[in-house]
Amino acid sequence: IIMMARRSANHYCTTIPLAVRRIRIIPSSLWIVTSLFLGRGSYAYISSHTPSRRFFSLYGSTPNDLERLRVLDLKEQLREAGLKLSGRKSELIERLQLHYNRNDTTMPKRKSPRTKAPKEEEEGKEDDVKATEEEPELTPKKKKKKASDHQRQTERTEIPKLWNGSSDSYTFKIASWNVAGLRALMRNHPDALPDLVQKHDLDVLCLQEIKLQESHVDDPKLKIGGILLHEEGYEGHYSCSTTKKGYSGTAVFVKKRSSTNGEKTKKQTSLSSFFTKADKKDKSKKEDENDTNNDTKDSRNINNIDINNLIPTNVSFGIGKKKHDGEGRSITVEFPLFTMTNLYVPNSGQKLERLLYRTKEWDVDLLEYMQSKETPDKPIIWLGDLNVAHTAQETWNEGAKHLVKSAGTTPEERASFTEQLSSTGYIDAFKQLHPDALGHYTYWSQRAGNRCPNKGLRLDYFVCSPSLFEGDRNIVVRDCYMLPEQLGSDHCPIVLELEIKK
C-alpha cells in the first residue's frame, strides 16, 4: 500500500500547479515530511525550483532522480552549470550526473539579477560597495586587444625647396602620376591634367595605368589621341595593353617645341602608329598650321639654352622582351642629354600569384634594358609606379604582420629593388635629396579611406644614374617632391626638377 501511495504521489508531483512548484520559502522539516510521503524523486523535483537545491547532498544523485525531471528543467540546470544544452534527455541526464559527481554533488544556487541602487542610497554605504566589488562578475571580461607593435608614421615632415631656378640655366620638370584609369579621370576631374601641367609648368608628364585600348585613343568622342592636352601645347604618346582589355597602359606628354633647324617634335600617338612606316596621308595643311601655332612659348626664360636639348630625338615602346611588352608598361623618350623611361611595374597580385614573374623575370629584364640605354654621355632616368615600398621609410605601418604577404612590401620585392640599385649604383632621387623625410607617400588605399589620415606607401619613384647628381655636368638633378594635394586617383603625382646648363 505504501509503495502504491508513493507511485501515485510521484505521478501527482508532475502535475503540481505552477504556484506550488515555485514556492520560495518552505521549512526544512516540511521538506522531510514531503520526501517521506512523496518519495525522493518528488522531493528532488520540487526542490529543483527553490533557492536551496540541496537534495543531492541529502539523498545523493541517481539516474532515477534526474529521469523524473522534464527536459526543460534539465536544460535549466545545465544552463546554470554552464554545460552544453543540446542532446537527448538521456544525454542531458548523463551530463548532469557527471557534473554533480565531480562537484561534490552540490547544485549551484540561482543567480538573482542585480539592480543598481539610487544615488541617495549609495552614499554612506561603503561596506556594501566593497562587498559587491569583491563578488565575482557574472560575465567574463573581454580580453583587451594588444596594442599594435608596428610604427605609425602618418605625420608628414616638412621638406625644404631645394631649387628655385637660375638665370644661367633652364629648369626641366618631369611629373609622374598613376591615374588609375585615364577615362575615369577625364570624366570625374576634367580639368585635372590641364591644371597640373599649367600650374607646375611641366616639360614632360608621364602617366601610368591609363587602362586604354587603341580604339579608345583613336575614338574622337573620347577626345584623347591628338586632343588631350593639345591646346596646352603637349604631344601625347600612348602604349596600350594588347593582352588584356582595360588593363595597365602608359602615356607620355611632351611639350612641343620647334628646333633651330625648323624641325618639330616627332609625333607618336600610340604603339600601333609607332610600327607604321608612313604617316596617314589625309593630314591637311590646316593641321600643320595649327601645330605651328601651338608650339609652346615658354613662360620660363630659356637663358640661351640650346632648345634642341629640350626636344626628344626618339620615342620607343617596351623593354625589348615580347613576354613583357604586350601589357603596355613602358615608354622610352630619348633627349640629347638624357634618356627617360616611363614605367608601370607589374603588381604581384593580392595572392602574390605574379611574385616570381615580377622579381625573377620583369625586374631582371628591366635592369638589363636600362643598362643598355645608358652611356657615359647620356645618363638614364626610369620613373613611374614601381609597385614597391622599398624600406620602412616608405610605409606608414612598418612592422605590421600582413606586410610580408602584401604586394609591394614583400621581402622578395624589396630585395629585388635593392639589387637593382646596389648592383648598378642607381639612385632613388627623393631619398637622396631628402634622406630624413617622413610621411611622404604617393599611394593611399581608397577602400580603407587612408588618404586623409596619411596612411600610405611610397610606390612611385625617380631612379637616376649617379652622374646626374654630379654638379659639374651639363644636366643635374636638383629637387624631387610629391604633390599630395592633387586629387583624382589613389596615387598623387611626383615631380623631378633637372637643371640644364648652357
Side-chain angles (χ1 to χ4, degrees):
I1 293 173
I2 293 174
M3 293 297 296
M4 292 177 63
R6 285 187 175 181
R7 290 177 182 175
S8 61
N10 290 339
H11 176 74
Y12 174 74
C13 177
T14 59
T15 59
I16 291 176
L18 180 64
V20 177
R21 281 186 280 151
R22 296 202 176 184
I23 297 174
R24 292 291 182 241
I25 303 174
I26 298 179
S28 59
S29 60
L30 183 58
W31 283 122
I32 296 172
V33 174
T34 305
S35 65
L36 292 175
F37 179 73
L38 299 179
R40 271 191 317 191
S42 59
Y43 171 62
Y45 184 84
I46 297 176
S47 63
S48 65
H49 296 278
T50 64
S52 60
R53 303 187 182 184
R54 298 173 59 247
F55 75 98
F56 282 108
S57 62
L58 293 174
Y59 298 96
S61 59
T62 63
N64 292 332
D65 297 328
L66 297 175
E67 285 177 358
R68 293 186 176 93
L69 299 181
R70 297 181 304 172
V71 173
L72 180 63
D73 301 317
L74 292 172
K75 288 187 177 182
E76 182 180 356
Q77 294 185 25
L78 287 169
R79 186 181 295 106
E80 294 178 358
L83 301 176
K84 186 178 178 182
L85 303 180
S86 62
R88 298 181 179 179
K89 183 176 180 180
S90 59
E91 296 174 352
L92 303 181
I93 293 173
E94 183 180 357
R95 203 171 297 146
L96 274 174
Q97 179 73 22
L98 292 174
H99 171 70
Y100 291 126
N101 289 340
R102 291 174 182 174
N103 294 275
D104 297 330
T105 67
T106 302
M107 296 184 66
K109 294 183 179 181
R110 181 185 296 273
K111 297 177 182 179
S112 58
R114 298 182 180 181
T115 56
K116 295 183 180 179
K119 293 183 179 179
E120 297 179 357
E121 296 179 2
E122 290 178 358
E123 297 179 359
K125 296 184 179 180
E126 297 180 358
D127 296 338
D128 295 341
V129 173
K130 290 180 181 179
T132 56
E133 289 178 353
E134 292 175 358
E135 293 180 3
E137 295 184 1
L138 294 177
T139 57
K141 291 183 179 180
K142 293 183 179 179
K143 293 183 179 179
K144 294 182 179 180
K145 294 183 179 180
K146 293 183 179 180
S148 56
D149 55 354
H150 59 76
Q151 74 173 18
R152 292 180 174 273
Q153 182 59 50
T154 58
E155 182 181 357
R156 185 181 290 114
T157 59
E158 293 185 6
I159 57 175
K161 187 73 173 68
L162 300 180
W163 180 250
N164 293 313
S166 173
S167 58
D168 298 330
S169 61
Y170 177 79
T171 302
F172 192 91
K173 292 186 178 182
I174 306 172
S176 172
W177 190 15
N178 181 320
V179 294
L182 183 57
R183 287 176 294 167
L185 177 67
M186 295 173 62
R187 180 175 60 253
N188 300 326
H189 302 271
D191 298 327
L193 293 180
D195 291 346
L196 178 64
V197 297
Q198 291 178 346
K199 180 179 179 180
H200 299 279
D201 198 11
L202 302 178
D203 293 278
V204 179
L205 173 62
C206 300
L207 304 181
Q208 301 90 37
E209 200 176 1
I210 59 175
K211 298 181 180 181
L212 295 181
Q213 301 175 39
E214 294 291 342
S215 59
H216 297 146
V217 177
D218 300 330
D219 190 347
K221 295 181 180 179
L222 297 178
K223 299 181 180 180
I224 298 179
I227 301 176
L228 181 60
L229 297 182
H230 183 74
E231 293 182 359
E232 289 75 17
Y234 292 83
E235 189 67 46
H237 308 270
Y238 303 87
S239 180
C240 304
S241 173
T242 57
T243 59
K244 187 176 180 180
K245 295 182 179 180
Y247 178 71
S248 185
T250 50
V252 175
F253 296 89
V254 183
K255 184 175 286 187
K256 293 185 292 185
R257 294 183 174 92
S258 294
S259 67
T260 55
N261 299 328
E263 297 178 356
K264 302 173 187 176
T265 304
K266 291 185 178 181
K267 292 186 178 182
Q268 194 60 62
T269 59
S270 64
L271 179 62
S272 60
S273 60
F274 174 76
F275 289 107
T276 55
K277 296 181 180 180
D279 295 330
K280 295 181 180 179
K281 298 181 180 181
D282 58 352
K283 293 183 180 179
S284 61
K285 294 181 180 181
K286 293 183 179 180
E287 292 180 348
D288 295 334
E289 293 176 359
N290 291 335
D291 292 337
T292 303
N293 295 332
N294 285 330
D295 285 345
T296 304
K297 296 179 180 180
D298 294 304
S299 59
R300 289 167 288 169
N301 189 9
I302 298 299
N303 297 334
N304 297 322
I305 300 299
D306 186 359
I307 199 171
N308 292 322
N309 292 332
L310 310 180
I311 300 174
T313 58
N314 186 44
V315 179
S316 59
F317 301 85
I319 60 175
K321 300 286 185 178
K322 292 183 178 180
K323 60 181 179 179
H324 306 309
D325 296 343
E327 296 182 358
R329 294 186 176 273
S330 62
I331 300 177
T332 299
V333 183
E334 298 180 28
F335 291 88
L337 299 179
F338 69 98
T339 298
M340 54 158 284
T341 300
N342 177 28
L343 293 169
Y344 178 41
V345 174
N347 189 293
S348 296
Q350 292 184 352
K351 298 181 180 180
L352 303 181
E353 61 273 11
R354 302 193 77 186
L355 179 60
L356 290 178
Y357 164 75
R358 154 74 188 275
T359 57
K360 301 301 182 182
E361 298 182 43
W362 168 272
D363 286 353
V364 174
D365 294 337
L366 171 64
L367 184 60
E368 181 182 348
Y369 173 77
M370 297 311 304
Q371 288 178 312
S372 67
K373 289 292 183 181
E374 185 180 21
T375 63
D377 297 330
K378 186 181 287 189
I380 61 168
I381 301 173
W382 41 295
L383 59 101
D385 182 1
L386 304 189
N387 262 320
V388 60
H390 187 205
T391 65
Q393 200 169 344
E394 281 72 57
T395 61
W396 78 273
N397 58 343
E398 182 67 20
K401 294 181 179 180
H402 70 277
L403 289 183
V404 296
K405 298 181 180 180
S406 299
T409 55
T410 62
E412 293 84 355
E413 291 167 308
R414 288 177 163 182
S416 179
F417 189 58
T418 299
E419 177 65 20
Q420 288 178 322
L421 299 181
S422 60
S423 63
T424 57
Y426 292 148
I427 296 174
D428 175 0
F430 180 80
K431 185 172 288 188
Q432 177 75 10
L433 299 172
H434 306 282
D436 300 324
L438 298 175
H440 291 266
Y441 309 122
T442 63
Y443 166 80
W444 305 265
S445 172
Q446 288 184 339
R447 184 178 302 176
N450 285 347
R451 185 155 193 164
C452 183
N454 194 33
K455 297 179 179 180
L457 304 171
R458 184 163 77 95
L459 303 179
D460 304 81
Y461 299 78
F462 285 98
V463 179
C464 308
S465 297
S467 60
L468 286 172
F469 292 89
E470 298 174 2
D472 57 346
R473 294 185 66 93
N474 54 0
I475 179 170
V476 182
V477 173
R478 290 301 183 187
D479 203 356
C480 185
Y481 50 88
M482 290 80 173
L483 303 175
E485 70 280 358
Q486 178 65 57
L487 303 179
S489 172
D490 52 2
H491 289 248
C492 77
I494 57 174
V495 180
L496 183 73
E497 294 186 0
L498 300 167
E499 181 189 11
I500 297 181
K501 302 176 183 179
K502 293 182 180 179

